[in-house]
DNA sequence: TGTATAAACCTGTATATACAGATAAATCAA
DNA sequence: TTGATTTATCTGTATATACAGGTTTATACA
């Protein structure tokens, strides 16, 4: 057994495997413990081990071959899935130093277009943050985010140089669903200067809208310098 | 029981539910049969019903609430998935007229970067097509595509003003997997002029690589005018 | 009438068990 | 040595069972 508590057992098994991968116990391409080995070492049933390994396979961390075993997948080979990710963790896991600069953090009256995204009346106010994420002190992403006060009432009192909005929001509100829209544009000067972009360099903008408990929790515009960034998506029919 | 054969039972249950949704037996928001109801009507175990409903939930077709039931999800509400789509069909389904102009259709020696994408030696040759897709006679997408001759030997003799490469390729080769990379860039003059783009307008470029039977079938670069295009993706945790 | 309480039903998780089918290694026979 | 066969291992699927915990409806009580 691994431990006890509120988190389901299969989730702990998943974490156990992921931790092992992160710790280097299992390198890319190597075999991870089989279902029966997990049954013996962790004292769980095979179906629980099966669920953990099956879900990790579905999430792209493992590959399974019937009759042979379960192996650590090469996630870099075919691009990361277009999913919600924590930029701080991404930067750190690539072996770089992450830091953040908070530009704006205040309450604002909802502008018409944003209010529409939230499904709110024009008069309602929203929390607004602007943060520049840096990799090795080089600007990497410009994050312009509006947050539903009903979902995160304490948003304005957070220190986002220590914890990204993503980390904070996933901690206090369960992420139900997310929508991404990607477009290319010439960014406004405010963004351009913060990202040290050349005057003729286009930007890749991701508009991310997330739902929690049926209501829109946050609408974020994430600006990336187009020439230094690629967004990956993967699809299996 | 539903039937017998090679396809797993849980898959048949999934198909059974999806067919019911398509047939209108269960409308959006309505409840689908509970696990125990499926156990009785289909004469299966609850765990099999559970697997079917759980997977359909993960795929976005259903929503589940513990203690209440399982309901048909509204898939249209929150954007299309970032998936392979047929541009001709997209344009027509939006009520517009689709046409295509074939710019290039020939065999070429594989340039180094492209050959790498295919996992081929430099010397190998590939099929190359350049097509501009028009919506109501306005340029809408510039498609620059390389195709593996081993997968589509008759590619060069097709009339792509009548049938898109996508339609042709999906007809002759099963799509196994696809990778997307999205980036923003200032397109080359050749692309810019074909799409009637302003000199300072950035472009959203999707590089799409697809696999069939374990080999790379095609690598396509799809250029969209950035200011007129949005790419959608959806994700559920 | 209003309010606890109980009952019924639902999903979520976990176990034990069973058989199949796929794969690779070991073994045996020609 | 080669080729066929057996054996061991591993995943894939399916069932029966059990209990926890959320949600709604019905019931009993004050």
């Amino acid at each position: 057994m691994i431990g006890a508590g509120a988190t389901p057992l299969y989730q702990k098994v998943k974490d156990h495997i992921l931790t092992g991968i992160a710790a280097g116990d299992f390198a890319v391409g190597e075999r991870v413990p089989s279902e029966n080995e997990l049954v013996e070492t962790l004292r769980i049933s095979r179906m629980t081990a099966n669920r953990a390994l099956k879900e990790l396979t579905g999430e792209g961390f493992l590959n399974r071959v019937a009759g042979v075993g379960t192996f650590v997948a090469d996630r870099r080979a075919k691009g990361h899935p277009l999913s919600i990710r924590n930029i701080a963790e991404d930067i750190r896991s690539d072996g770089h130093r992450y830091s953040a600069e908070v530009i704006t953090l205040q309450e604002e009256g909802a502008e018409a277009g944003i209010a529409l995204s939230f499904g709110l009346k024009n008069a309602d106010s929203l929390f607004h943050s602007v943060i520049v994420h840096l990799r090795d002190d080089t600007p990497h992403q410009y994050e312009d985010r509006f947050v539903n006060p009903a979902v995160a009432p304490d948003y304005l009192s957070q220190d986002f140089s220590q914890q990204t909005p993503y980390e904070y929001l996933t901690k206090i509100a369960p992420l139900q669903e997310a929508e991404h829209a990607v477009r290319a544009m010439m960014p406004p000067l405010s963004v351009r200067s913060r990202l040290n972009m050349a005057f003729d360099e286009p930007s890749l903008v991701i508009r991310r809208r997330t739902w929690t408990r049926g209501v829109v929790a946050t609408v974020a515009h994430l600006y990336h310098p187009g020439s230094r960034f690629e967004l990956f998506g993967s699809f299996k029919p």
Side-chain angles (χ1 to χ4, degrees), chain A:
Chain A
M1 195 55 121
I2 307 175
T7 56
L9 189 47
Y10 74 88
Q11 184 60 53
K12 288 181 188 160
V13 178
K14 289 174 69 175
D15 292 343
H16 178 253
I17 300 290
L18 287 178
T19 305
I21 293 174
D25 299 343
F26 322 114
V28 169
E30 271 183 18
R31 224 202 66 175
V32 299
S34 74
E35 296 180 359
N36 280 320
E37 286 168 349
L38 290 174
V39 166
E40 288 189 6
T41 60
L42 303 182
R43 314 279 294 174
I44 57 177
S45 80
R46 190 169 84 88
M47 288 309 296
T48 301
N50 176 273
R51 175 167 184 176
L53 295 180
K54 185 168 65 178
E55 289 194 4
L56 286 175
T57 301
E59 291 159 19
F61 292 102
L62 302 174
N63 294 318
R64 313 196 79 189
V65 182
V68 184
T70 305
F71 305 89
V72 178
D74 186 358
R75 305 201 88 212
R76 247 166 276 207
K78 288 176 185 172
H80 314 283
L82 175 57
S83 62
I84 302 273
R85 295 219 309 281
N86 183 358
I87 189 169
E89 210 171 83
D90 273 11
I91 289 176
R92 290 198 187 98
S93 72
D94 283 349
H96 294 275
R97 187 159 34 82
Y98 168 81
S99 56
E101 190 185 350
V102 180
I103 312 295
T104 302
L105 184 59
Q106 61 188 20
E107 185 166 2
E108 284 181 20
E111 180 259 329
I114 297 292
L116 191 67
S117 297
F118 276 88
L120 297 173
K121 293 183 299 291
N122 238 14
D124 291 334
S125 75
L126 294 167
F127 295 156
H128 183 208
S129 65
V130 176
I131 296 169
V132 176
H133 301 280
L134 303 106
R135 189 177 75 169
D136 296 336
D137 299 321
T138 303
H140 189 252
Q141 183 190 85
Y142 181 99
E143 172 190 324
D144 189 320
R145 184 186 292 268
F146 288 90
V147 174
N148 190 338
V151 172
D154 298 327
Y155 186 77
L156 296 181
S157 58
Q158 302 304 311
D159 181 2
F160 291 123
S161 65
Q162 297 303 311
Q163 184 186 36
T164 65
Y166 170 88
E167 288 167 339
Y168 174 66
L169 289 171
T170 52
K171 212 172 280 181
I172 65 162
L175 172 65
Q176 259 184 359
E177 190 166 357
E179 170 200 86
H180 296 87
V182 183
R183 62 187 310 166
M185 65 176 287
M186 301 304 282
L189 183 59
S190 54
V191 174
R192 184 178 299 283
S193 61
R194 294 283 183 184
L195 292 179
N196 295 339
M197 291 173 64
F199 79 96
D200 60 346
E201 190 180 2
S203 170
L204 192 68
V205 186
I206 304 170
R207 193 192 71 228
R208 176 189 292 170
R209 191 154 57 132
T210 66
W211 281 260
T212 190
R213 289 186 280 268
V215 302
V216 176
T218 174
V219 176
H221 286 82
L222 311 173
Y223 294 80
H224 292 90
S227 55
R228 286 181 267 156
F229 185 78
E230 276 201 344
L231 178 68
F232 279 94
S234 209
F235 167 73
K236 287 191 183 194

